[in-house]
Amino acid sequence: MKIICEIPVREGSKRVPNKNIISVNGKRIVEYIIDVAVKSEVFDEIWINTNSKVIIDEYKKGNLLYNKKILIYKRPEKLCSDTAKSDEFNYDFAINTESDVLVMLNPVCPLLKSSSVKKAVKTFINQNQYDTLISCSKTQMQAFVDGISVNFDSSKALGPSQENKEVKILNWAITIWKTSKLIERYEFDRSCVLGNKRMLFDISPLESIKLSNEDDLNLIKELLSK
């Protein structure tokens, strides 16, 4: 069974410009995930799926962390716009590489642990009935969507949070697919990343922190410095 890792790094993010290549404590954000992928010791190949000129140039110069252990997949420019979907670039990567299991690690979740990646991959392989695994964080705190309570009855007196239904929030730090099923789904209806038989894999709130805006960046800098 061939298990490969994909780290997607698109050039030109807007809310935090070039967030994947920002340096924190002397290491680029993407290099934290490269480190996690290598140390998890579960991958036959580790790929960066990118159009970033900085990443490609650094790779050619041998300057990326674990440079000799990673490969570069040059993402087609048509899949590098703000409107390009995860379904599209993951399908493109899947049909142009060889794997039985494809694992996407999110470079903007730099607090992810290699032990969580290793556990997720082993869990997915051992529970063969699933075609997709997506990492999540869970809570039993009171949750609302559009002003409507979703995991408790807001018309009644407030009870202990442990009595509420558990809410699972996807964070996409780790996503795993059976590659053939991902390709099959996309070619059927252009939708593939959510899967049909999915497992939601819980990771800690700390590992779930995702770099989406400046506040996230400041928090991540603070945590990584410690």
Side-chain angles (χ1 to χ4, degrees):
M1 178 181 292
K2 186 174 183 179
I3 305 171
I4 69 173
C5 174
E6 173 201 8
I7 302 172
V9 180
R10 184 177 69 86
E11 189 174 64
S13 55
K14 290 184 176 179
R15 285 180 292 180
V16 181
N18 295 314
K19 60 187 177 184
N20 297 298
I21 59 173
I22 291 172
S23 182
V24 179
N25 291 344
K27 191 158 67 174
R28 297 183 189 278
I29 287 291
V30 66
E31 291 181 303
Y32 284 93
I33 289 299
I34 293 172
D35 189 38
V36 166
V38 171
K39 288 181 177 178
S40 69
E41 299 181 331
V42 291
F43 300 118
D44 296 298
E45 297 171 356
I46 299 170
W47 292 79
I48 300 179
N49 181 355
T50 188
N51 69 323
S52 169
K53 295 179 179 62
V54 172
I55 291 296
I56 293 171
D57 287 346
E58 289 292 280
Y59 176 77
K60 288 179 178 178
K61 294 174 184 177
N63 292 338
L64 286 181
L65 188 68
Y66 295 109
N67 201 91
K68 292 182 180 180
K69 293 190 177 184
I70 60 176
L71 299 161
I72 294 289
Y73 178 76
K74 293 184 179 180
R75 190 187 304 186
E77 284 302 320
K78 66 180 180 180
L79 300 178
C80 297
S81 68
D82 290 337
T83 57
K85 297 178 180 178
S86 180
D87 301 281
E88 296 171 331
F89 72 74
N90 280 296
Y91 169 74
D92 171 76
F93 179 80
I95 62 171
N96 286 294
T97 53
E98 294 183 5
S99 67
D100 298 298
V101 174
L102 172 58
V103 181
M104 183 180 72
L105 298 184
N106 200 326
V108 293
C109 296
L111 298 168
L112 183 65
K113 295 178 180 178
S114 58
S115 58
S116 294
V117 174
K118 189 170 188 174
K119 183 179 178 182
V121 172
K122 286 190 173 183
T123 301
F124 183 75
I125 298 301
N126 290 336
Q127 299 192 34
N128 195 48
Q129 69 269 36
Y130 298 101
D131 60 38
T132 303
L133 177 149
I134 306 171
S135 63
C136 68
S137 55
K138 61 185 179 182
T139 182
Q140 287 180 280
M141 294 303 296
Q142 296 78 10
F144 289 83
V145 174
D146 292 332
I148 299 172
S149 57
V150 296
N151 65 336
F152 71 106
D153 189 343
S154 60
S155 67
K156 296 180 179 179
L158 193 63
S161 60
Q162 62 264 31
E163 294 179 1
N164 298 334
K165 292 180 180 179
E166 187 175 88
V167 174
K168 295 190 175 184
I169 303 168
L170 303 185
N171 50 56
W172 302 95
I174 310 167
T175 316
I176 308 178
W177 302 281
K178 288 181 179 176
T179 309
S180 61
K181 293 296 183 182
L182 180 142
I183 293 171
E184 182 182 296
R185 287 192 303 274
Y186 185 85
E187 292 179 348
F188 176 71
D189 67 358
R190 297 296 185 266
S191 175
C192 60
V193 296
L194 278 168
N196 291 326
K197 298 178 180 178
R198 78 186 64 88
M199 174 197 311
L200 300 185
F201 182 82
D202 184 53
I203 62 175
S204 72
L206 191 65
E207 294 178 88
S208 301
I209 296 173
K210 184 177 179 181
L211 174 50
S212 297
N213 54 49
E214 290 291 341
D215 288 338
D216 297 330
L217 177 59
N218 292 332
L219 176 59
I220 286 168
K221 284 181 176 179
E222 181 75 15
L223 291 168
L224 288 176
S225 71
K226 297 181 183 303

